[in-house]
């Protein structure tokens, strides 16, 4: 049992190199900084302009456009997390209603908690992107530098504190350490991607629709059709019950008549 657990741990540790999801997570992390920066600049500029002009009639349309814009950006981030991180995020709306008026749609955006949680996520994306960029590039650069030591140790002065790399044997040991660091770095970046996935799940999905499939929305037309079908079923059941009662009553009368005919004394 212990030997099997050890083999499983070793396989999981080194297997991170061959997993497709590892590199999808890395791609998501590398996109976090440019996207987070763009979101931050756009939101700060638009919201500050809309709020500063809100005392006039110009600021209200700007704020409405910003609300719709950050909803769409949050929707894009949700899809990006689904595609690259491979997580199942609930829909942003608990149900989808068609043929809504613009005022009703805006009201739906405002009262939907995901609208405001999505705004928080977009703002968090900026500092989180900076942090993941620093960690990722530091680990990648250090790994590449250590792996490349056997190629440059003769042409460059390389030392680790008071210890100098002067032989190919030591250089190969340093390279092995770089490979090990690379594997550890992939695990660290997977952990960072997992944190981003947890944030996306809780901030970009409706808690009311956690058990609803994304394509399993309830439409108004479907509700009306279900009501009509229920009414038809009730009418059909009532008609069947009435017919059954009539048949029973007729049968009872016929039985009584037969008994009367067979018993002349009555």
């Amino acid at each position: 049992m212990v030997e099997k657990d050890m083999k499983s741990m070793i396989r999981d540790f080194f297997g991170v190199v061959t997993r497709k999801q590892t590199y999808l997570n890395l791609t998501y992390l590398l996109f976090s900084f440019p996207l987070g920066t763009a979101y931050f600049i756009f939101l700060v500029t638009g919201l500050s302009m809309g709020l500063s002009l809100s005392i006039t009639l110009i600021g209200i349309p700007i704020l409405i456009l910003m609300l719709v814009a950050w909803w769409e950006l949050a929707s894009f981030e949700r899809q990006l997390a689904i595609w690259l991180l491979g997580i199942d995020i609930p829909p942003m709306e608990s149900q989808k209603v068609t043929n809504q008026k613009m005022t009703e749609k805006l009201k739906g955006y405002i009262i939907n908690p995901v609208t405001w949680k999505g705004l928080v996520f977009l703002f968090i994306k900026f500092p989180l992107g900076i942090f993941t960029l620093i960690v990722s590039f530091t680990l990648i650069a250090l790994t590449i530098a250590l792996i490349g030591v056997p190629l440059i140790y003769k042409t460059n002065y390389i030392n680790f504190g008071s210890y100098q790399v002067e032989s190919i044997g030591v250089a190969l040991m340093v390279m092995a350490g770089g490979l090990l660091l690379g594997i550890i770095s992939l695990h660290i970046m997977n952990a960072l991607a997992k944190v981003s996935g947890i944030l996306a799940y809780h901030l970009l999905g409706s808690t009311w629709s956690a058990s609803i499939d994304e394509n399993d929305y309830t439409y108004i037309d479907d509700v009306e059709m279900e009501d009509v079908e229920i009414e038809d079923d009730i009418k059909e059941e009532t008609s069947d019950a009435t017919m059954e009662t009539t048949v029973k009553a007729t049968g009872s009368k016929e039985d009584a008549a037969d008994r009367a005919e067979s018993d002349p004394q009555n």
Side-chain angles (χ1 to χ4, degrees), residues 138-165:
T138 300
L139 293 173
I140 292 172
L142 186 57
T143 299
I144 294 174
L146 293 177
I147 292 175
V149 166
L151 301 176
I152 62 174
Y153 80 98
K154 287 185 177 180
T155 58
N156 292 277
Y157 181 77
I158 301 175
N159 67 81
F160 298 93
S162 59
Y163 191 83
Q164 298 181 8
V165 179

Side-chain angles (χ1 to χ4, degrees), residues 1 7 55 59 85 99 141 152 183 187 240 254:
M1 185 67 181
K7 288 182 179 179
I55 57 176
L85 299 182
N99 300 325
I152 62 174
I183 296 173
H187 282 285
D240 292 341
E254 291 177 354

Side-chain angles (χ1 to χ4, degrees), residues 26-200:
L26 181 58
T27 302
Y28 181 88
L29 293 178
L30 294 179
F31 275 109
S32 294
F33 175 71
L35 288 176
T37 304
Y39 297 156
F40 184 79
I41 295 173
F42 172 73
L43 291 172
V44 169
T45 303
L47 290 176
S48 60
M49 183 183 300
L51 290 173
S52 62
L53 296 175
S54 60
I55 57 176
T56 66
L57 295 178
I58 301 176
I60 304 301
I62 293 176
L63 290 176
I64 293 174
L65 289 175
M66 288 300 301
L67 185 147
V68 176
W70 88 57
W71 173 273
E72 295 300 329
L73 290 175
S75 178
F76 168 74
E77 276 294 324
R78 175 181 173 273
Q79 288 297 329
L80 195 65
I82 293 173
W83 293 334
L84 295 180
L85 299 182
I87 58 177
D88 185 16
I89 303 177
M92 297 175 69
E93 298 175 276
S94 58
Q95 63 179 8
K96 189 174 182 179
V97 181
T98 57
N99 300 325
Q100 280 185 310
K101 295 181 180 179
M102 182 59 67
T103 53
E104 294 175 349
K105 197 168 186 178
L106 288 175
K107 181 181 177 182
Y109 283 146
I110 293 173
I111 64 177
N112 191 341
V114 179
T115 301
W116 309 103
K117 292 192 297 182
L119 180 62
V120 173
F121 181 87
L122 294 176
F123 274 114
I124 291 177
K125 188 86 173 178
F126 179 58
L128 187 62
I130 294 175
F131 178 74
T132 54
L133 179 74
I134 294 173
V135 173
S136 300
F137 271 92
T138 300
L139 293 173
I140 292 172
L142 186 57
T143 299
I144 294 174
L146 293 177
I147 292 175
V149 166
L151 301 176
I152 62 174
Y153 80 98
K154 287 185 177 180
T155 58
N156 292 277
Y157 181 77
I158 301 175
N159 67 81
F160 298 93
S162 59
Y163 191 83
Q164 298 181 8
V165 179
E166 298 177 343
S167 65
I168 185 64
V170 176
L172 290 174
M173 291 177 61
V174 173
M175 183 183 72
L179 293 172
L180 183 62
L181 176 63
I183 296 173
I184 296 173
S185 300
L186 292 177
H187 282 285
I188 293 174
M189 287 184 279
N190 278 344
L192 291 175
K194 186 175 181 179
V195 171
S196 297
I198 292 172
L199 288 174

Side-chain angles (χ1 to χ4, degrees), residues 159-247:
N159 67 81
F160 298 93
S162 59
Y163 191 83
Q164 298 181 8
V165 179
E166 298 177 343
S167 65
I168 185 64
V170 176
L172 290 174
M173 291 177 61
V174 173
M175 183 183 72
L179 293 172
L180 183 62
L181 176 63
I183 296 173
I184 296 173
S185 300
L186 292 177
H187 282 285
I188 293 174
M189 287 184 279
N190 278 344
L192 291 175
K194 186 175 181 179
V195 171
S196 297
I198 292 172
L199 288 174
Y201 181 86
H202 289 286
L203 296 179
L204 300 179
S206 175
T207 55
W208 293 99
S209 58
S211 60
I212 300 176
D213 185 74
E214 184 174 0
N215 298 318
D216 191 19
Y217 293 120
T218 302
Y219 294 89
I220 294 298
D221 295 339
D222 297 337
V223 174
E224 293 176 353
M225 289 298 296
E226 289 176 2
D227 291 340
V228 171
E229 291 175 359
I230 291 172
E231 291 177 0
D232 292 340
D233 291 339
I234 292 174
K235 290 179 180 179
E236 185 176 351
E237 291 176 358
T238 304
S239 177
D240 292 341
T242 303
M243 185 179 296
E244 184 178 354
T245 303
T246 303
V247 170

